[in-house]
Amino acid sequence: MSSVEQRVIEQFQEEHRQTRDKCLELSDAIEEGDLDRAETLVEEINEAAGPHFQYEEDALYPALIPFFGEEKVKELVAEHDEAIEAAETLAELTSQESLTEEERQEALRALPNIMVHVSDCDGLTVYLEKADEEVFEEIEQSMEEANSRGLTLTEYDETARPSPEEIVA
């Protein structure tokens, strides 16, 4: 494995680990009724997920088409849609002064839509390892550009996110 391949995979997996940990902390904060902590965690997830989703959709997902085909990649994009919707729901709920039991349950039901992305997406590295080094260079460049732009998940979704057809084109 080349150094660029190793860097890309390590960064990709580390970002998933960080999101996993924040999601688990968020679940605990919601369970405990600590909305200040929950709101902070949702903001952190929103900030971290924006660049992550951007480079996945710009470079990583297109690189997976030879392995899975266009329809599966569109399904991965649909998972992003679900994660974005969950993040928006969580942001709305955790910004409140308090939650009713129904709202607390709604927040806890939304959270797995982010968490499932972490587990499903991280497994893609097994296939990505078979890609050419040029693919890794493109992904690394996209990672750097996305991190430089620093769009939150919400900003990315509202301003720069391509359609599923553009991702697989």
Side-chain angles (χ1 to χ4, degrees):
M1 181 181 297
S2 75
S3 60
V4 69
E5 292 172 16
Q6 188 171 357
R7 281 193 310 271
V8 166
I9 289 173
E10 286 176 1
Q11 181 175 339
F12 183 69
Q13 291 178 323
E14 181 57 27
E15 289 170 2
H16 284 142
R17 285 185 197 96
Q18 289 173 3
T19 301
R20 174 204 61 204
D21 293 347
K22 287 186 189 308
C23 285
L24 293 172
E25 285 182 58
L26 178 56
S27 178
D28 290 343
I30 292 168
E31 287 281 2
E32 295 164 5
D34 186 350
L35 290 181
D36 289 337
R37 179 74 182 133
E39 184 176 24
T40 298
L41 288 162
V42 169
E43 289 171 9
E44 290 173 4
I45 291 168
N46 189 29
E47 289 171 5
H52 183 84
F53 277 33
Q54 183 175 345
Y55 79 74
E56 281 184 342
E57 292 183 352
D58 287 350
L60 187 127
Y61 285 1
L64 293 172
I65 292 171
F67 299 105
F68 298 112
E70 292 180 6
E71 287 309 309
K72 179 59 178 172
V73 171
K74 286 180 182 179
E75 289 175 22
L76 294 170
V77 174
E79 283 183 18
H80 275 186
D81 293 338
E82 292 172 8
I84 291 166
E85 185 177 328
E88 290 169 349
T89 297
L90 288 163
E92 180 182 321
L93 291 170
T94 60
S95 68
Q96 299 177 164
E97 292 292 320
S98 64
L99 297 178
T100 66
E101 179 59 24
E102 184 178 307
E103 290 169 329
R104 187 178 72 78
Q105 290 300 322
E106 181 182 358
L108 292 171
R109 282 191 305 271
L111 195 50
N113 287 327
I114 298 171
M115 295 172 72
V116 75
H117 169 73
V118 171
S119 61
D120 289 356
C121 191
D122 201 66
L124 298 173
T125 58
V126 172
Y127 293 93
L128 188 60
E129 290 171 338
K130 292 296 189 180
D132 295 332
E133 186 165 345
E134 293 168 353
V135 169
F136 283 94
E137 290 169 357
E138 289 174 18
I139 295 169
E140 184 174 50
Q141 180 180 352
S142 183
M143 281 178 164
E144 291 169 0
E145 289 171 4
N147 285 321
S148 175
R149 284 183 82 183
L151 297 175
T152 66
L153 183 57
T154 305
E155 292 168 337
Y156 171 63
D157 184 49
E158 292 173 353
T159 64
R161 191 170 181 223
S163 70
E165 291 74 27
E166 293 170 309
I167 293 168
V168 298

